[in-house]
Amino acid sequence: MPLTGGSTILVPVDVSNDDRPEKDLLTISDTVDLVLLGYYPVPDQAPPAQLKADHEDDAQQRLGELAAAIDRDVTQRVVFTHDRDETVDRAAEEYNCDAILLPGSHTATERVFVPLRGDDNLDRILSLVADLLRREEATATLFHATTADEQAYGQSLLDDAAGRLVEAGIDRARINTRLTTTNDPGTAIVEMAHEFDLLVVGETEPSLTDRILGRVSTRIADEVDRPAFVVRKA
């Protein structure tokens, strides 16, 4: 099946402070659509309406400044919320986003790490990878960790994924594949992730935090200081 391209990315931004995702992350591909979700955390006992009345102008300005710095059309929305995760999850569903960006402090974007666990969600993952690789300087490493008796399947998975990226117009020289045999795939993925600039990982369940990320992706977010695109299941 051909890769569709044109992914839609949700970018959660805490607009209660001046911290922002790196601009290079948001301009990494001209073919993706960006949804900037400015969320303002509301303490449990505080009414969202009161904080909105006091801080909405500042929140809108901060999100608008980020959008202006990107210098392209983006969707913007500001939300005052008690529950950041639920708000992000709901917005991802509402805007039919293919992936959610979790920013890290690492600023380079040239080496993309793509751990693949199987055929599930593969179309969306590879479509986003193709979008990211349309910058000539970027390369991707497709990675699969497997047990000894599943090596043939793992190699077939990687070869098929690489071939589909080539069919989408990506130079094969910019696509690497790595297969490793292990009894602990999660640890192998986390250890490998440190070698790269940017991660593309698939979610394992249809909602955020531990559920959207799954155990492996949660470990990546917690233990690897790298930006990660978490690709949602269709």
Side-chain angles (χ1 to χ4, degrees):
M1 181 182 298
L3 302 180
T4 57
S7 304
T8 299
I9 309 300
L10 182 71
V11 184
V13 181
D14 186 344
V15 289
S16 66
N17 59 57
D18 291 324
D19 293 338
R20 297 291 173 267
E22 287 293 330
K23 179 184 171 183
D24 286 350
L25 275 177
L26 306 182
T27 57
I28 192 171
S29 173
D30 293 332
T31 62
V32 302
D33 294 324
L34 295 178
V35 178
L36 301 183
L37 177 68
Y39 66 92
Y40 197 108
V42 178
D44 289 342
Q45 304 305 317
Q50 183 60 55
L51 265 75
K52 182 176 181 179
D54 294 340
H55 300 287
E56 184 173 22
D57 288 347
D58 288 341
Q60 293 283 5
Q61 181 178 345
R62 287 170 175 150
L63 196 65
E65 289 172 351
L66 177 60
I70 299 171
D71 194 26
R72 56 177 293 192
D73 290 335
V74 299
T75 299
Q76 302 177 59
R77 181 174 178 181
V78 170
V79 178
F80 288 74
T81 179
H82 289 297
D83 190 331
R84 179 260 188 197
D85 293 342
E86 180 181 337
T87 296
V88 171
D89 193 30
R90 188 166 55 244
E93 189 71 26
E94 179 180 345
Y95 290 101
N96 194 27
C97 294
D98 298 288
I100 298 168
L101 175 61
L102 304 179
S105 63
H106 196 71
T107 58
T109 57
E110 286 78 19
R111 299 171 301 162
V112 183
F113 180 55
V114 189
L116 300 176
R117 280 170 284 183
D119 297 324
D120 190 36
N121 209 23
L122 190 59
D123 286 344
R124 277 193 168 190
I125 292 172
L126 293 179
S127 290
L128 176 56
V129 172
D131 287 335
L132 300 179
L133 289 184
R134 291 193 170 98
R135 296 187 320 149
E136 291 186 1
E137 63 268 30
T139 63
T141 295
L142 309 178
F143 177 76
H144 183 69
T146 188
T147 57
D149 57 351
E150 293 288 339
Q151 281 186 309
Y153 167 75
Q155 191 60 58
S156 175
L157 172 69
L158 294 175
D159 291 343
D160 176 63
R164 293 175 62 184
L165 290 173
V166 171
E167 290 176 0
I170 306 303
D171 185 348
R172 183 63 178 84
R174 295 168 53 218
I175 306 166
N176 305 304
T177 61
R178 293 179 69 170
L179 179 70
T180 189
T181 302
T182 178
N183 291 321
D184 188 354
T187 296
I189 290 171
V190 170
E191 289 177 349
M192 278 284 296
H194 289 279
E195 300 179 17
F196 295 87
D197 303 319
L198 181 66
L199 316 178
V200 177
V201 297
E203 70 173 3
T204 55
E205 297 293 340
S207 57
L208 217 69
T209 330
D210 283 343
R211 292 175 298 166
I212 163 191
L213 296 174
R215 289 191 300 271
V216 171
S217 300
T218 299
R219 286 184 62 191
I220 289 175
D222 289 343
E223 300 177 31
V224 183
D225 189 19
R226 300 291 187 272
F229 290 97
V230 180
V231 181
R232 301 175 66 235
K233 295 181 75 171

